[in-house]
Amino acid sequence: MKIDLNSDMGEGFGRWRIADDDGLMDTVSSANIACGFHAGDYAIMDRTVQLAKEKGVGIGAHPGLPDLIGFGRRAMAVSDADMEAMMCYQIGALQGIAARHGHRVTHVSYHAAFGNMANADEGLALRLTRAIAAMDRELSVFCMPGQATERAAEKAGLRPHTLFLADRAYTAAGMLVPRGRPGAVIHDLADVRARVKQFLHDGSVTTIDGTRLPVRARSILVHSDTPGSLKLARAIRAEIEASGGILTPACQIMD
C-alpha cells in the first residue's frame, strides 16, 4: 500500500531554524511549507522548495495566522474575509516560488489555530475550500477525517487527503488533545513507533483514555517542532517500510 509521510517545514525565520529540514527532507515524501505568516520567509521558502525539488518530495502550502511570536497557535479575532485573503496570499507566494524551481504546489495543509478556526465553523471551512478551488482545482486539502475541512473540501469539488498524526494524542471523539495538557504531544520514540505500527496494521489509534479509535487516513504527519522529530520521522519511515508500505508523495495517492 502507498503511504505518505509528511512534515511541516521551513518553520524558521531569518537566521533562526526550528528543525533539521535537510534531514527531514531525506526522510519524508511530502513537505508542508510555512508561507511567512506563522513562520518562514521568502529565503527559507525558496531554499525549502529547491531542496524538495532535488529530493523528489511533494510540496504543499502551510498557511497560518500572522502570529510569529505565538507560532500561529493562538486564535485571533480575524474576519472570514481576512482569513480567505491571507490564505490565498500565502498559497500564491509558495506557488510563485515553486514555479521558479520547476516544482508544483499540490496540496494545502492549514497550520494550528488557522485550521482549528476553520474546523470550528462550517461556513468558514467552505469559504476557504472554495477559494482554494478558485486558485487551483487540482490542489488537495490535508485534514483530519470527519472534520469540517474534509466536508468542505468535498463540497468545493476538491480532494480531501486525510491524516494520522503520529506525535499527537487523540481524544475518544477523534479530536486532538489540546497542547498544554499532559500527554498531548508524544515524543517518546517507542511510543510513536508503536502508534504507527498499530495504525498501519489495523487502521486505529489508542486514545488518551485508552479506547481504540478507527482512523481513516493514507498520510502520516510528524510535526518538525516536536522534540526529536528527525528520529521520529526516521522511525516512522522504517515502520512503514517494515510493514510493506511504499513511501509515496500524497499527490500520487488516490484515496
Side-chain angles (χ1 to χ4, degrees), residues 22-234:
D22 289 11
L24 285 167
M25 204 69 82
D26 282 325
T27 308
V28 303
S29 49
S30 298
N32 315 313
I33 301 176
C35 301
F37 274 40
H38 75 278
D41 57 41
Y42 59 88
I44 293 174
M45 291 166 68
D46 188 72
R47 181 181 180 279
T48 306
V49 169
Q50 183 178 16
L51 188 60
K53 173 69 174 179
E54 291 170 358
K55 301 292 184 179
V57 172
I59 61 170
H62 194 42
L65 295 173
D67 180 20
L68 286 173
I69 294 175
F71 198 61
R73 289 193 171 134
R74 303 180 297 186
M76 299 177 69
V78 180
S79 70
D80 289 2
D82 280 350
M83 289 278 284
E84 179 182 347
M86 70 175 66
M87 180 194 69
C88 293
Y89 181 97
Q90 292 174 80
I91 296 171
L94 188 64
Q95 286 175 324
I97 290 174
R100 188 172 91 83
H101 291 287
H103 211 2
R104 182 172 178 274
V105 177
T106 57
H107 69 269
V108 177
S109 177
Y110 302 152
H111 173 73
F114 191 102
N116 293 340
M117 291 169 70
N119 280 316
D121 185 336
E122 296 274 353
L124 173 60
L126 184 56
R127 179 170 183 156
L128 294 176
T129 53
R130 283 176 173 166
I132 293 169
M135 296 184 76
D136 183 352
R137 299 198 69 85
E138 297 301 312
L139 289 170
S140 62
V141 181
F142 279 14
C143 52
M144 289 180 64
Q147 294 199 5
T149 295
E150 181 182 26
R151 295 187 291 274
E154 292 172 339
K155 289 179 181 178
L158 299 173
R159 183 167 66 92
H161 195 91
T162 50
L163 300 170
F164 167 60
L165 278 64
D167 55 354
R168 291 295 312 277
Y170 284 70
T171 69
M175 307 295 285
L176 296 180
V177 174
R179 287 180 181 270
R181 281 186 52 187
V185 180
I186 302 163
H187 47 80
D188 180 83
L189 192 62
D191 289 346
V192 168
R193 189 154 191 167
R195 285 163 56 86
V196 171
K197 185 174 183 178
Q198 178 181 332
F199 166 73
L200 291 171
H201 280 265
D202 68 10
S204 72
V205 64
T206 300
T207 67
I208 198 165
D209 62 358
T211 60
R212 212 171 184 87
L213 176 75
V215 178
R216 170 177 47 82
R218 293 288 295 279
S219 282
I220 301 174
L221 167 67
V222 60
H223 291 88
S224 64
D225 67 317
T226 295
S229 59
L230 180 55
K231 288 183 179 179
L232 296 180
R234 287 172 173 166

